[in-house]
Amino acid sequence: MTKSRTEHGIKGFRGEIITAGHSGYDTARAVWNGTVNRRPRVIARCSGTDDVAAAVRFGRDQDLEIAVRGGGHNVAGTAVCDDGIVIDLSAMRAVLVDPAGRTAQVQGGALWGDVDHATQAHGLATTGGIIGHTGVAGLTLGGGIGWLMRKHGLSVDNLLSAEVVTAEGRTVRASADEHPDLFWALRGGGGNFGVVTSFHFALHPVGPMVMAGPVFWAAEDTAKVLRFYRDFVADAPDELGTVIRLGTVPPLPVISKHLHFRPAIAVGCCYAGTVEDGELALHALRRFGTPLVDLVGPTPYVAHQSGLDDTVPHGWHYYWKATNLAALSDEVIAVIADHAYAARSPRTYAAMFHMGGAVARVPADATAYGRRHVLHNIIIDAAWLPEKSAELAAAERAWARKFLEALKPYGEASVYVNFLDSDDPTSRLREAYGDEIYRRLAEVKAKYDPSNAFHHNQNIRPG
Ligand SMILES: Cc1cc2nc3c(=O)[nH]c(=O)nc-3n(C[C@H](O)[C@H](O)[C@H](O)COP(=O)(O)OP(=O)(O)OC[C@H]3O[C@@H](n4cnc5c(N)ncnc54)[C@H](O)[C@@H]3O)c2cc1C
């Protein structure tokens, strides 16, 4: 890759500067969602906190649009902007574990796979996302939901402190004792308040072997399975994390070929306790009805965390709609069964996370993550191959919107901020937080970024 450290005059910058015409420009501007095609003026690939500070000051001085890239996974593509500067942390992926203190320092460009790998070497883990190639930064700053959340809380509930470069280019530490207002806002308020260069997380003993994996049933059984599941998870121990997946059976090597792409409902499971207790906890679920295939078994936690990575690779085209659900009523189950398999692309699916447990026990105003009382959170993920026709793309998008519309009468009028797509109206941002948390976020924004330099995100305007 051709590089220049000086052509854009970022004083004190020691990382890579990548601009149009350089051989790596197209790779560097690509994000996970292949529909996003933005052309930044400069990509500042930072090597450390000082580079981030220099890039922020440069962007401000030059009056450039500023985008911040962690893992590059946000479906709305907010990690890249047109004709501005991308502050790219993808070269900052170090994870430093303190096994005795059960904490980890994680750089702002790390992926969850990096964290799982380093922490599981010590039999430890913290709540992260369910796909290993998702970025730690964006996911954590929006809240962070995953297999371990019911036992160990959201990612933000495990955040002890963060190193942040503010809109002024100053480096500060945010924790319960230092800049507590900023620390509160970072735990759910997204990338609005500065660039996080390092996260300090609490870790917990997990695995290394856990009882985990999916059970699949035929799509025709969806309503029956969901009704059983609703009652099954109502009494589930906190250790049990489950995610429903509705779509076709993914063509993974661990699944027999004759099932690939067959419409099916799966309950993905991960028991964050002993394998023996996990076996007992999952007994009834695994014996329900006639599963197509049961892949639950003792599994290394680190393998479970990356087991679905290939089902959502970089570069495919994606479009998301999402909502929290007030309850998994019979009516909601009927809507889900009616819509989930009506998409045309075999790569499209919907996923429903079971919340509650430790997530719901944290007081609602303790962090900026809104809606802790929600029990089920559904995301409708249209996915198709880039080479497919514009007509298929339009059909998949229409399917996702129609599915969401059908759920609306039973929805919570609330949503997880990290699941919002680029065409979701700004009113949905308020839905994500509720009025009180949104008002507080706007106040913190006014203090730390009054001119809204960090607005290429799910933007909270300075109040
Ligand atoms: C395949 C897939 C699976 C997912 N699974 C889960 C899941 O299990 N649980 C869950 O909670 N979410 C999940 N998500 C959603 C995920 O939380 C968001 O997409 C999130 O934005 C990804 O973070 P990122 O760093 O990769 O994003 P990026 O696209 O890099 O960044 C998104 C935004 O975050 C902000 N940001 C990024 N890095 C920084 C930083 N260092 N400092 C300050 N701001 C920053 C910026 O505003 C940026 O615009 C998933 C997403 C995908 C695509």
Side-chain angles (χ1 to χ4, degrees):
M1 186 185 302
T2 323
K3 296 176 237 170
S4 159
R5 286 175 183 171
T6 52
E7 67 189 295
H8 278 275
I10 304 184
K11 206 171 152 208
F13 192 82
R14 291 176 302 124
E16 290 178 26
I17 297 290
I18 304 164
T19 54
H22 290 174
S23 57
Y25 179 70
D26 284 337
T27 310
R29 72 187 180 86
V31 290
W32 171 80
N33 185 351
T35 66
V36 176
N37 179 21
R38 301 211 177 97
R39 302 187 64 83
R41 196 181 302 177
V42 48
I43 298 169
R45 186 163 287 163
C46 304
S47 66
T49 301
D50 290 350
D51 278 352
V52 172
V56 169
R57 285 193 291 266
F58 176 81
R60 302 290 311 274
D61 289 350
Q62 303 289 315
D63 212 11
L64 289 174
E65 183 83 2
I66 296 175
V68 180
R69 181 188 181 119
H73 253 50
N74 194 276
V75 69
T78 50
V80 281
C81 57
D82 274 323
D83 199 31
I85 181 168
V86 172
I87 300 177
D88 176 356
L89 280 80
S90 63
M92 294 170 58
R93 287 174 54 178
V95 179
L96 203 63
V97 180
D98 170 3
R102 290 190 179 165
T103 65
Q105 287 285 353
V106 178
Q107 275 193 307
L111 309 182
W112 280 107
D114 301 327
V115 176
D116 294 332
H117 174 78
T119 56
Q120 274 291 279
H122 305 280
L124 299 169
T126 198
T127 305
I130 65 169
I131 299 290
H133 47 75
T134 309
V136 170
L139 183 141
T140 299
L141 295 171
I145 68 178
W147 299 112
L148 303 182
M149 67 183 157
R150 288 173 41 80
K151 173 76 179 160
H152 297 300
L154 299 166
S155 304
V156 286
D157 299 332
N158 290 289
L159 188 63
L160 302 170
S161 67
E163 182 183 75
V164 188
V165 174
T166 67
E168 290 173 329
R170 271 194 317 132
T171 303
V172 300
R173 180 157 296 279
S175 68
D177 303 322
E178 298 163 273
H179 303 283
D181 51 354
L182 176 61
F183 187 54
W184 175 84
L186 290 175
R187 288 175 293 158
N192 279 284
F193 307 96
V195 185
V196 178
T197 46
S198 179
F199 295 86
H200 191 203
F201 285 111
L203 305 175
H204 312 276
V206 173
M209 294 300 280
V210 289
M211 197 63 181
V215 186
F216 287 87
W217 292 263
E220 303 82 78
D221 293 341
T222 294
K224 272 192 290 185
V225 171
L226 285 179
R227 281 197 295 268
F228 171 82
Y229 172 82
R230 170 183 61 199
D231 301 336
F232 174 73
V233 294
D235 299 326
D238 289 351
E239 283 78 5
L240 184 59
T242 54
V243 181
I244 298 269
R245 187 183 188 282
L246 307 115
T248 65
V249 177
L252 296 172
V254 288
I255 304 177
S256 141
K257 270 201 174 133
H258 76 280
L259 292 174
H260 290 181
F261 293 118
R262 178 167 169 176
I265 175 170
V267 181
C269 311
C270 180
Y271 189 87
T274 65
V275 168
E276 295 72 31
D277 289 349
E279 270 195 77
L280 279 178
L282 288 166
H283 185 84
L285 177 77
R286 299 173 71 197
R287 264 141 206 83
F288 179 74
T290 314
L292 288 176
V293 57
D294 173 3
L295 296 171
V296 173
T299 312
Y301 173 76
V302 75
H304 181 63
Q305 277 289 87
S306 59
L308 290 172
D309 287 7
D310 291 345
T311 64
V312 280
H314 289 81
W316 283 4
H317 286 189
Y318 298 98
Y319 179 77
W320 287 6
K321 286 289 155 269
T323 182
N324 293 325
L325 293 168
L328 207 46
S329 62
D330 286 350
E331 291 81 359
V332 168
I333 288 174
V335 171
I336 292 174
D338 270 358
H339 287 261
Y341 309 101
R344 275 169 47 194
S345 167
R347 287 158 183 87
T348 286
Y349 65 95
M352 189 165 62
F353 290 75
H354 180 222
M355 311 292 295
V359 176
R361 287 195 290 272
V362 174
D365 60 356
T367 68
Y369 177 85
R371 317 301 193 182
R372 284 186 180 268
H373 63 284
V374 162
L375 272 184
H376 300 281
N377 168 345
I378 190 166
I379 173 164
I380 301 164
D381 296 354
W384 61 97
L385 298 178
E387 59 273 21
K388 294 289 177 186
S389 67
E391 192 249 326
L392 178 70
E396 294 307 290
R397 289 190 164 101
W399 165 81
R401 286 193 289 262
K402 200 169 157 199
F403 194 165
L404 180 70
E405 275 306 306
L407 285 169
K408 259 193 186 154
Y410 316 102
E412 247 265 329
S414 76
V415 66
Y416 175 35
V417 69
N418 275 350
F419 289 167
L420 290 174
D421 208 332
S422 51
D423 67 344
D424 279 307
T426 49
S427 57
R428 296 217 72 194
L429 194 55
R430 284 201 177 247
E431 283 181 21
Y433 295 111
D435 288 342
E436 179 51 24
I437 288 183
Y438 190 91
R439 186 193 59 73
R440 265 179 87 181
L441 284 171
E443 272 177 28
V444 181
K445 178 79 172 173
K447 180 169 167 191
Y448 287 92
D449 184 16
S451 59
N452 205 3
F454 298 117
H455 64 256
H456 210 269
N457 46 34
Q458 295 298 342
N459 192 225
I460 290 156
R461 293 178 173 278

